[in-house]
Amino acid sequence: MSILTEHTGAANHAAHEQGQASGEPPLRAERVTKEYLGGSRVALDNISIDIKENQITALIGPSGCGKTTFLRLMAGLEYPTRGSVTAYGKPIMGPGPERGMVFQAYTSFPWLTIRENVQHGMKIQGFSKAEQRDRAEHFLKLVHLDEYADAYPGELSGGMKQRVAIARTLAQGPELLLLDEPFGALDAQVTWEMEEMAVDIIERESKTVVLVTHDIQEAIYLADRILFFTRQPGRIKEDIAMEFKQGRRFAKKEELLVEPGYVDMEKRLYTMMREEIQGRIS
Amino acid sequence: MNDAPLSGSVSRADLLVADDENLKAEAPLFKPPREQFLGLRGSVGRYQSMFLGMVGIIALFVAWEIAHVMTPENQQKFLPSVGQVVSKIAYLFTEKGYIADVAKSVYRIYVSFFFACLFAVPLGLFKGCFAKIRALINPTVGGLRYLPAASFVPLLLVYFGPTDFAKLALLFLGCVFFLTALILDNVEAVPKELIESAQTMGASRWHIVFRVAFRSAAPQILDSMRNMIAVSWTYLVIAEIVAATDGIGAVMMRGARFLHVDIIMGGILTIGVLGVLTDLSFRIAGHFLFPYIRARR
Ligand SMILES: Nc1ncnc2c1ncn2[C@@H]1O[C@H](COP(=O)(O)OP(=O)(O)OP(=O)(O)O)[C@@H](O)[C@H]1O
Ligand SMILES: [Mg+2]
């Protein structure tokens, strides 16, 4: 937290803080439609939604419903066919360091060491050498990879590589974190560890997060709010606030399981998922 | 389970307790099953690999020697023995200044290849990074690739005469189009996610072209170069056959005129050895340029 607020980064951060003051939401989709293949495939159909500041918003829904597409629109890696996506009131016209993205695939640069990978985004943005070093150290500690700072990604396990991606994205100091199934490729135990780590980091760094996941438990555990997508064409079926959590985040996953209201929420989401899947079969 | 083992069966826990003393001592080294000689994707030790390589080479020479011995006496000058060829090479080096020819050929290969790389690397890189440049250049280069380099020989002779430049140009033309195509493939194979994640870091276009796309494809590009310079060696003789006064190819042509098969075979042998050395030098360069590849499991 301290490092993040102290750093006096590049111009885009200053520009961003202006936007933040205007009271506009960090992300807003207005009547967004995304078509592929010249309109014959509609990935997203007329979606309007605000992402709220300092919240973790989970996007969940059946495979192929347009979650990744929606996230890529917010990252600026693709543009909507109709409607607009804005960040703090400004239309998103391309990717930028203020919207950090963690991809589903491992995206560390294999030719750089772990430390250099984490520093790379900062280097591009013109952080000072000292700042690069300190922040890299801070975030590598945060993801428990400080001992591997001088290793190459090729020497790391899948879970470790994903932690590098998270540290790297955090280190560049984004206002927004966009996570596309960040733990999707990991086995159950590592996923669980990483989820708890994510809660810890997001809590400490107080970030606005949009998380795509296909895991109902993960969504309930991490999110303050869940957007449930219908299957193709993607619409928001339901916008569910995790009210039973009363604004708390849990350091341990098992603490969540005994929370009154948890089971009902899980059941509700499973039922919705079943409806969507059966809709496809019939 | 441990508390109440089924009667008649001995539970695992009982066994462990009974042998308790034994369990504390260090176990003997485990002997994995002996690897079959032709184990699928089996491993080869450093020395074993060198040994097998030598066996292959020696087998070739032995076959050659046998063929020589079986050739009728009066025909043997058309298939000289290994010893004759090797001593001919030694003779060429000591008496005929062969070293200058070898140096000239090596110079031609490396200089022409250097210029081919100077063209092909940026061209392939930009084609791989920018769709419009690709659309502009690809049909042309793609077509030129099919022209046999040897067909340029008369043209180059008309343009440049029997000069060194004509030979360099032929070697250049022989590999530049293929090299461009290979490098394009290498750059296109760069994972999209690497480029997109650089974009979400705020990287500029040129940063991505040179520091991400090129850097990511670099080991594969070096491999493409290694494969193409081998092709370049195969063009050497064609380039030096025509109106050449020096170079390995010229020496071989002179040998041919006087039916000195031993000289021709000596030239072939020299090119083979130089080719292997070239290949080795690229591999060694790769080893030092891309240490992270070694780390990959
Ligand atoms: N580049 C593309 N060209 C054509 N169709 C596409 C493209 N990208 C996505 N789509 C289509 O858009 C729809 C939504 O895809 P998207 O990747 O957003 O799904 P998703 O919800 O992330 O699925 P998953 O949970 O399986 O990752 C799919 O039907 C997909 O086929
Ligand atoms: Mg997806």
Side-chain angles (χ1 to χ4, degrees):
Chain A
M1 174 89 169
S2 59
I3 294 188
L4 269 176
T5 44
E6 269 166 30
H7 101 266
T8 48
N12 48 38
H13 284 269
H16 230 84
E17 269 141 31
Q18 274 176 7
Q20 233 168 328
S22 70
E24 296 280 351
L27 286 169
R28 163 173 288 169
E30 252 185 296
R31 292 185 293 153
V32 165
T33 296
K34 178 67 181 175
E35 296 169 353
Y36 285 111
L37 312 176
S40 63
R41 183 175 291 153
V42 184
L44 298 172
D45 184 22
N46 205 17
I47 290 182
S48 296
I49 200 86
D50 281 0
I51 301 295
K52 298 199 180 83
E53 188 96 52
N54 293 335
Q55 269 202 351
I56 304 177
T57 305
L59 310 182
I60 195 165
S63 178
C65 68
K67 306 180 295 288
T68 297
T69 305
F70 195 46
L71 204 68
R72 288 172 63 82
L73 292 178
M74 295 194 275
L77 292 168
E78 280 175 61
Y79 302 105
T81 312
R82 292 166 202 287
S84 69
V85 189
T86 53
Y88 295 111
K90 293 205 191 73
I92 292 172
M93 298 309 260
E98 68 282 0
R99 277 165 284 123
M101 177 133 171
V102 175
F103 293 78
Q104 186 168 1
Y106 307 132
T107 52
S108 310
F109 297 137
W111 58 93
L112 299 177
T113 65
I114 302 311
R115 188 199 314 281
E116 289 163 346
N117 260 292
V118 174
Q119 288 178 348
H120 198 80
M122 295 188 272
K123 201 165 142 190
I124 290 171
Q125 289 170 67
F127 283 59
S128 75
K129 278 260 155 48
E131 235 173 349
Q132 286 182 29
R133 203 183 42 238
D134 293 349
R135 287 171 66 83
E137 197 159 317
H138 172 78
F139 286 103
L140 282 174
K141 275 218 181 78
L142 216 54
V143 297
H144 312 299
L145 281 178
D146 38 332
E147 282 172 38
Y148 288 87
D150 297 311
Y152 286 107
E155 302 166 55
L156 267 52
S157 74
M160 291 157 98
K161 280 185 207 164
Q162 205 58 354
R163 278 184 275 163
V164 175
I166 291 169
R168 180 173 78 163
T169 309
L170 284 167
Q172 71 190 39
E175 311 283 337
L176 282 159
L177 269 182
L178 306 172
L179 313 174
D180 189 3
E181 304 200 24
F183 318 130
L186 309 177
D187 72 50
Q189 169 253 323
V190 181
T191 303
W192 166 54
E193 261 181 69
M194 299 273 288
E195 286 166 354
E196 293 190 348
M197 193 193 76
V199 165
D200 180 51
I201 293 174
I202 294 167
E203 190 67 22
R204 271 199 243 187
E205 310 279 339
S206 67
K207 292 275 171 202
T208 307
V209 179
V210 183
L211 165 85
V212 171
T213 177
H214 59 253
D215 181 337
I216 288 173
Q217 263 198 15
E218 179 174 293
I220 303 175
Y221 175 58
L222 291 175
D224 304 311
R225 177 193 188 193
I226 293 178
L227 301 179
F228 197 107
F229 278 60
T230 59
R231 74 190 169 83
Q232 237 186 309
R235 297 196 192 97
I236 291 174
K237 182 184 171 88
E238 250 175 277
D239 177 353
I240 311 159
M242 296 293 105
E243 268 161 2
F244 79 95
K245 287 160 85 175
Q246 297 166 335
R248 289 166 301 166
R249 290 186 184 146
F250 300 89
K252 297 196 183 105
K253 211 171 172 181
E254 59 267 32
E255 291 171 1
L256 176 75
L257 302 182
V258 296
E259 210 44 43
Y262 169 76
V263 177
D264 290 337
M265 180 57 68
E266 194 172 6
K267 185 174 168 219
R268 183 175 162 192
L269 288 168
Y270 271 108
T271 312
M272 284 166 68
M273 192 66 91
R274 187 180 298 282
E275 281 168 18
E276 284 306 312
I277 297 168
Q278 278 172 347
R280 181 174 59 205
I281 293 164
S282 65
Chain B
M1 184 177 76
N2 289 352
D3 300 337
L6 294 174
S7 57
S9 75
V10 185
S11 86
R12 202 175 137 69
D14 288 344
L15 279 175
L16 290 181
V17 171
D19 282 342
D20 206 13
E21 282 311 302
N22 254 341
L23 277 174
K24 278 180 190 147
E26 197 177 12
L29 278 177
F30 179 73
K31 282 202 204 72
R34 234 187 121 214
E35 197 177 296
Q36 286 167 297
F37 185 71
L38 293 181
L40 268 178
R41 290 274 162 112
S43 55
V44 179
R46 202 194 179 103
Y47 295 107
Q48 197 180 15
S49 159
M50 277 199 246
F51 174 74
L52 288 173
M54 291 305 289
V55 169
I57 292 171
I58 290 168
L60 174 71
F61 284 124
V62 167
W64 174 358
E65 196 67 28
I66 290 173
H68 167 75
V69 170
M70 285 171 54
T71 310
E73 198 93 20
N74 59 348
Q75 301 285 314
Q76 267 184 355
K77 72 169 181 163
F78 296 114
L79 187 54
S81 70
V82 182
Q84 282 166 340
V85 170
V86 170
S87 66
K88 197 68 181 186
I89 293 176
Y91 161 80
L92 285 173
F93 271 118
T94 51
E95 308 289 324
K96 294 284 182 188
Y98 189 44
I99 190 76
D101 291 299
V102 171
K104 195 68 191 240
S105 291
V106 169
Y107 155 86
R108 283 177 181 145
I109 291 285
Y110 275 88
V111 167
S112 65
F113 194 71
F114 173 78
F115 283 104
C117 290
L118 218 57
F119 255 75
V121 173
L123 225 56
L125 181 61
F126 292 157
K127 280 204 298 180
C129 288
F130 304 110
K132 300 222 169 55
I133 295 195
R134 191 181 166 180
L136 176 76
I137 299 173
N138 219 30
T140 322
V141 171
L144 287 174
R145 208 162 38 145
Y146 290 92
L147 299 181
S151 66
F152 284 105
V153 169
L155 197 64
L156 292 170
L157 271 178
V158 171
Y159 286 171
F160 307 112
T163 57
D164 228 20
F165 187 81
K167 296 170 189 70
L168 292 177
L170 181 74
L171 291 173
F172 173 87
L173 289 172
C175 61
V176 69
F177 304 120
F178 267 107
L179 190 58
T180 309
L182 287 177
I183 291 173
L184 170 63
D185 283 349
N186 299 148
V187 175
E188 281 189 330
V190 173
K192 191 180 84 176
E193 287 82 7
L194 285 193
I195 291 182
E196 289 185 339
S197 70
Q199 285 179 321
T200 61
M201 289 178 187
S204 69
R205 236 172 347 150
W206 294 112
H207 182 103
I208 291 174
V209 170
F210 293 110
R211 308 286 289 279
V212 179
F214 177 66
R215 197 64 191 71
S216 174
Q220 286 74 288
I221 290 179
L222 189 74
D223 259 352
S224 298
M225 289 178 178
R226 187 169 60 79
N227 290 324
M228 271 326 288
I229 204 170
V231 175
S232 205
W233 275 107
T234 66
Y235 281 127
L236 180 73
V237 178
I238 299 178
E240 289 182 341
I241 269 175
V242 191
T245 48
D246 52 4
I248 301 172
V251 171
M252 287 164 74
M253 273 319 283
R254 246 176 283 141
R257 215 169 304 144
F258 302 105
L259 297 182
H260 287 313
V261 176
D262 47 358
I263 291 185
I264 300 174
M265 292 182 98
I268 294 174
L269 207 60
T270 316
I271 292 178
V273 169
L274 289 172
V276 169
L277 290 178
T278 309
D279 199 84
L280 200 64
S281 68
F282 272 78
R283 283 182 196 278
I284 290 171
H287 186 81
F288 287 105
L289 283 173
F290 311 118
Y292 57 93
I293 302 279
R294 277 177 274 163
R296 191 167 295 161
R297 286 193 267 191

